Amino acid sequence: MVKLAENAGFGFDKMESNGLQYNQSMPEYQLAFDSVTICFTLTTVDERGVAKQVTPQVDYLMKCLSSNSSFTRDVLQAAVGLKDRENFRLNYLKPALELGLIEMTLPHKPNSKLQRYHLTEKGVEWKQKIQNETS
């Protein structure tokens, strides 16, 4: 199927070869009656890339977290000195979660009143690396 589609000029073989080269994975094809959906798996960046992508807000949030405790969103929000929940969620919490620096204690219940956040192993390593660079 891929070679036939390539003959039609859709570039499937290029997507596959580039997927293997850059992400070490093949795209996944989902066929429907009238369409084809292609899903790509994206790899995370390495530590050097993470340090470059961390915003000042996430950096400040990371400084407020200790490596052996978990905190509620309210406590973290108060620690960074914000009152607006949406601003905190969009600029601090969500980017830190997406970078894999923090994680939820109840990932299957993101809106639970018992939800807490703690540093991941990657977050602990990043925090130690930044502390060593500033020392």
Side-chain angles (χ1 to χ4, degrees):
M1 175 180 134
V2 171
K3 293 300 177 191
L4 291 175
E6 178 56 32
N7 289 338
F10 295 124
F12 283 91
D13 67 337
K14 291 178 183 161
M15 288 188 283
E16 286 182 351
S17 64
N18 288 337
L20 284 173
Q21 181 180 359
Y22 297 110
N23 294 323
Q24 290 76 41
S25 67
M26 294 284 287
E28 182 180 313
Y29 301 100
Q30 298 172 352
L31 304 174
F33 175 72
D34 59 348
S35 64
V36 175
T37 303
I38 303 171
C39 300
F40 297 95
T41 303
L42 299 177
T43 56
T44 57
V45 295
D46 61 1
E47 285 94 27
R48 293 172 303 191
V50 170
K52 292 177 186 173
Q53 292 183 4
V54 171
T55 63
Q57 293 90 347
V58 172
D59 183 49
Y60 190 63
L61 174 65
M62 295 296 291
K63 290 176 183 173
C64 295
L65 287 164
S66 62
S67 57
N68 56 358
S69 298
S70 59
F71 303 93
T72 63
R73 187 204 45 78
D74 290 334
V75 169
L76 290 175
Q77 186 173 325
V80 297
L82 289 178
K83 293 183 180 181
D84 184 34
R85 294 172 65 118
E86 190 67 9
N87 180 19
F88 176 74
R89 186 181 68 79
L90 291 175
N91 295 314
Y92 292 78
L93 198 57
K94 188 176 177 186
L97 286 165
E98 289 173 352
L99 288 170
L101 299 174
I102 64 171
E103 65 185 1
M104 298 181 213
T105 56
L106 302 170
H108 56 284
K109 295 182 180 180
N111 298 322
S112 171
K113 66 180 182 178
L114 302 174
Q115 186 65 260
R116 293 179 170 272
Y117 301 90
H118 62 91
L119 288 174
T120 61
E121 188 175 312
K122 184 177 182 180
V124 171
E125 290 172 7
W126 182 84
K127 191 169 179 172
Q128 289 172 348
K129 179 180 175 186
I130 295 302
Q131 287 174 346
N132 291 340
E133 288 177 1
T134 58
S135 298

